[in-house]
Amino acid sequence: MTISTSKKSLLILVFLLASILQLFAQNNDETLKTIDVTHYAFKISLSDDSNTIKGIAKVTIQFKKPITEFSLDFVEKQPDNTGMSVSSVHEDSNNIAYIQGNDKLQLSIDLTKSGDIRTYTITYQGIPSDGLIISKNKYGDRTFFGDNWPDRAKNWIPVVDHPADKATVEWYITAPSHYQSIGNGVLVEQTNLGGNQTLTHWRMEESIPTKVMVIGVARFATEYLKEINNIPVSSWVFPQDRDNGFKDYAAALPALTFIINHVGPYPFKKLANVQSKTRYGGMENAGNIFYNENSVSGTGDYESVIAHEIAHQWFGDSASELNWYHVWLSEGFATYFENLFFEDHYGLESFVKKMKADREKAIRYSKQSQAPIVDTTVTDYLKLLNPNSYEKGSWVLHMLRKELGDDLFWKGIRSYYEKYKYSNALSEDFEHVIETVSGKDLASFFKQWLYQSGHPKLAVIWEFKDSLTIRINQTQKPLFTFPLDIKINYQDGSSTIVTKTVSEQTLKTILPTTKNVSSIELDPNTWLFFEQTSLIKKD
């Protein structure tokens, strides 16, 4: 713990010490009730001589109520010599007392009024233990890449590290001149400072969460593709992967066009697709998506990931979940839009193949974890990156599409995005928009698919004598209510589809028919998230 009381009275020091325990207990819930960060300006200096970074952060805050203290998320120096050490905090020319500890930077300030806007300048340095990954790429070249999801930004920049507190951001990156630097927003300045140092300034004018505020510094080959609706699209790859990378990342153009046409204007002023050292397959950093360094092959194998991460620019970056437990509003949406792009680009068969694979993956996951999509018991947010949030979340949207029909579904999606772009939403907000657009009461639909664990497990017995008798058993608890399409195949080669609403544990239905039945199929057009445990013909 470090305490600074420059030019402060002994009275303030005593007050601070008495407040330490209370301050350290302050969590993000309290912070979000107290302050709203409106803008960050980060000056980051990088070196090849060591992994130590030097930072100056200007944090502009609007206060929600009168207070004399608040905290930012910021990891202090650790026993292994990683972490950040703050050397000073100022408001204008005035020194601000601060305490660093327990991954917090607590500031003691003059009493605020509700609505006050103040800017604090924090000077610090240290070796990031996480968040900014300083390493070598697969070719042995030194690289620096931000990798903040979910709340790892606090390892290298002082922030409110929560998706609910969105802000604009600008980066002033000073690095050796043999590197290129990428950051959120548009390029404002690039200046050779002399001494083999280059300053690069990027500015993002749209509010985004800290999870997608990043920089990337490396040796890059850069290709500027073309503008889509006045949005410049570029590819940033390691020079050794230049040819293959430019080929692979060009897949961004049709994916971007598809989502613009179906959802609305792209929310930012550029789209850069960047080969990086992210721990994920792809990370949807706003305006500059980072892909894993092995994403480049020249074969186009990463097209689905590219579509997924581009969809996040709308869902997750612009319209963001209000808290982590509703991350399906980001990951489920991106997964479904990835599949929708394949339906549009490659046809229905490709789409159905992806939806079936997603269903199988989510069902496999359910056998090891019985939890709802919106799971408030999780404390390790990385564990939310699971098939419930991705594949099952995608399936919720798919079943909603079946429930509403394409016209109302797309109207609902566009209305939801338009209402919450550059803002935050909970699952109930999405539900409210869809109910308003459709005029339907969908409370039961969302309750069972989002807040209830499990899925329908169906054991079906059928027999044909003078009529077709089908007995459908839900073998799981709790029970679900859902429409089930049943395809009836006749011996003459014809077929028909009937739909039955299943809500009870056992549904017996008798269907008169003059044709001989050869077989039946459940969910022939792939619209239901369910598990078929058995399908038996009774002799």
Side-chain angles (χ1 to χ4, degrees), residues 70 206 218 274 293 307 333 417 510:
F70 71 93
E206 298 82 19
V274 184
E293 65 177 343
F333 274 62
Y417 175 70
I510 299 174

Side-chain angles (χ1 to χ4, degrees), residues 13 59 111 122 127 151 158 186 191 215 237 296 341 476 489 493:
L13 173 60
V59 184
L111 179 67
I122 302 161
I127 299 173
D151 56 352
V186 298
T191 299
I215 61 172
V237 301
V296 172
F341 167 69
Q476 85 293 332
N489 299 311

Side-chain angles (χ1 to χ4, degrees), residues 418-535:
E418 181 62 27
K419 183 171 183 178
Y420 290 101
K421 64 183 179 182
Y422 309 121
S423 185
N424 297 84
L426 296 170
S427 299
E428 49 262 44
D429 297 318
F430 175 63
E431 176 187 340
H432 178 71
V433 170
I434 297 300
E435 288 181 329
T436 300
V437 167
S438 68
K440 291 190 173 187
D441 181 353
L442 296 167
S444 296
F445 175 92
F446 283 101
K447 179 180 178 181
Q448 70 178 5
W449 293 115
L450 292 182
Y451 305 103
Q452 179 176 298
S453 63
H455 56 268
K457 298 180 180 179
L458 304 184
V460 178
I461 299 173
W462 67 278
E463 63 177 326
F464 173 73
K465 290 183 179 177
D466 295 330
S467 59
L468 174 62
T469 301
I470 304 174
R471 187 184 299 271
I472 303 165
N473 295 291
Q474 293 195 62
T475 63
Q476 85 293 332
K477 291 292 180 67
L479 300 177
F480 281 71
T481 298
F482 53 91
L484 176 64
D485 293 339
I486 304 170
K487 184 178 182 182
I488 304 169
N489 299 311
Y490 299 104
Q491 289 183 357
D492 64 4
S494 62
S495 64
T496 189
I497 294 176
V498 298
T499 301
K500 294 294 179 180
T501 298
V502 181
S503 58
E504 54 270 84
Q505 184 168 355
T506 301
L507 173 66
K508 180 180 179 181
T509 183
I510 299 174
L511 301 172
T513 178
T514 59
K515 296 182 179 182
N516 291 326
V517 177
S518 59
S519 64
I520 68 170
E521 300 173 43
L522 306 185
D523 189 38
N525 294 320
T526 318
W527 283 109
L528 178 65
F529 187 84
F530 80 110
E531 183 177 355
Q532 179 179 302
T533 60
S534 63
L535 179 59

Side-chain angles (χ1 to χ4, degrees), residues 318-339:
S318 179
S320 307
E321 63 275 14
L322 187 64
N323 68 44
W324 305 111
Y325 310 116
H326 297 260
V327 72
W328 84 278
L329 291 170
S330 174
E331 298 300 348
F333 274 62
T335 302
Y336 194 51
F337 271 83
E338 166 195 335
N339 295 351

Side-chain angles (χ1 to χ4, degrees), residues 110-131:
D110 293 335
L111 179 67
T112 66
K113 294 184 293 184
S114 180
D116 276 358
I117 297 176
R118 301 184 184 179
T119 297
Y120 299 91
T121 302
I122 302 161
T123 303
Y124 64 95
Q125 69 174 28
I127 299 173
S129 59
D130 202 349

Side-chain angles (χ1 to χ4, degrees), residues 26-81:
Q26 186 180 42
N27 57 26
N28 274 347
D29 289 340
E30 181 60 30
T31 299
L32 294 170
K33 295 175 184 176
T34 303
I35 66 173
D36 174 21
V37 179
T38 60
H39 183 69
Y40 295 103
F42 298 114
K43 294 183 178 180
I44 305 293
S45 296
L46 306 173
S47 169
D48 280 338
D49 297 330
S50 76
N51 289 347
T52 298
I53 69 170
K54 296 180 179 180
I56 299 175
K58 289 191 174 183
V59 184
T60 301
I61 295 170
Q62 182 169 28
F63 291 89
K64 298 181 178 181
K65 60 183 181 181
I67 59 170
T68 57
E69 58 201 25
F70 71 93
S71 68
L72 298 173
D73 298 308
F74 203 35
V75 174
E76 69 278 8
K77 194 169 184 178
Q78 303 296 308
D80 66 357
N81 207 36

